[in-house]
């Protein structure tokens, strides 16, 4: 790799670290190309990305970002998972790591907070941003539905009473 290519790679990784809501560092030792491709497609489905990195260049790219504290995780065959949603990348990587022992979670970061392996797993158990939005909308709609049901109940009871009187008069 030429010097210009390295500088370009460092700049692109720096942009990734500057824009990511969370970053997860994993060891992928022993994964085949097909397994990494499958993992990448699973990550894309949830809005996350996986990038195999060169450790020395990644440490250089980390300088000046919030994630500078995770630079000591980059030893051996490492890859990074990142996303705009803080929960998407940890969740996808933790699920894949449960199925495949060759992928090991090392740690990561969320903002300036450095996460160890347990922290990444705890973050993976949280609901995603879309799930939280759905729950919030459900909570906001529930009172309106209950209010509509309560206001319709007396009218329905009156209609039943009038119906009973009309049936009584017809008989």
């Amino acid at each position: 790799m030429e010097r210009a290519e390295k500088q370009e790679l460092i700049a692109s990784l720096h942009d990734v670290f500057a824009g990511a809501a969370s970053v997860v560092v994993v060891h992928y030792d022993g994964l085949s190309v097909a397994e990494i491709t499958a993992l990448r497609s699973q990550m894309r489905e949830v809005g996350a990305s996986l990038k195999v990195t060169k450790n020395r260049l990644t440490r250089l790219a980390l300088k000046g970002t919030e994630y500078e504290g995770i630079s000591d995780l980059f030893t051996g065959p490492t890859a990074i998972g990142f996303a705009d949603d803080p929960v998407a990348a940890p969740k996808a990587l933790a699920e894949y790591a449960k199925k495949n022992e060759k992928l090991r979670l090392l740690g990561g970061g969320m903002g300036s907070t450095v996460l160890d392996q347990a922290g990444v797993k705890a973050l993976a158990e949280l609901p995603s941003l879309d799930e939280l939005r759905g729950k919030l909308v459900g909570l906001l709609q529930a009172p309106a539905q209950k209010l509509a049901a309560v206001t319709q109940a007396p009218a329905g009871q009156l209609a039943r009473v009038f119906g009973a009187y009309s049936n009584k008069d017809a008989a």
Side-chain angles (χ1 to χ4, degrees):
M1 196 179 239
E2 291 183 24
R3 185 179 192 100
E5 289 177 284
K6 289 178 183 179
Q7 289 175 341
E8 198 174 299
L9 180 62
I10 290 170
S12 71
L13 281 174
H14 187 79
D15 291 342
V16 164
F17 291 127
S22 67
V23 175
V24 180
V25 182
V26 295
H27 267 187
Y28 65 92
D29 194 23
L31 286 176
S32 67
V33 172
E35 290 170 328
I36 290 178
T37 304
L39 175 58
R40 281 187 171 139
S41 67
Q42 287 178 4
M43 298 277 291
R44 272 192 299 272
E45 287 174 9
V46 296
S49 299
L50 180 78
K51 189 173 193 93
V52 175
T53 60
K54 291 188 174 289
N55 295 332
R56 192 176 62 78
L57 298 178
T58 305
R59 281 191 219 107
L60 290 172
L62 283 168
K63 290 182 181 174
T65 67
E66 294 179 317
Y67 299 104
E68 200 165 350
I70 65 172
S71 63
D72 56 335
L73 295 174
F74 290 95
T75 58
T78 56
I80 56 169
F82 55 93
D84 293 334
D85 181 1
V87 179
K91 188 174 282 200
L93 288 168
E95 285 177 17
Y96 193 83
K98 285 179 188 175
K99 298 174 193 169
N100 194 331
E101 296 175 1
K102 295 175 187 172
L103 184 77
R104 293 179 308 160
L105 300 172
L106 296 178
M110 189 171 93
S112 59
T113 306
V114 176
L115 303 171
D116 60 354
Q117 186 178 11
V120 171
K121 287 181 180 178
L123 190 59
E125 292 173 5
L126 293 175
S128 70
L129 195 57
D130 290 336
E131 291 172 19
L132 287 174
R133 286 179 182 150
K135 288 179 182 180
L136 183 63
V137 168
L139 288 172
L140 292 175
Q141 285 181 342
Q145 290 173 344
K146 288 179 183 176
L147 181 64
V150 167
T151 57
Q152 289 177 352
Q157 289 174 349
L158 280 175
R160 284 190 285 280
V161 168
F162 290 144
Y165 276 124
S166 68
N167 288 341
K168 183 178 178 184
D169 289 341

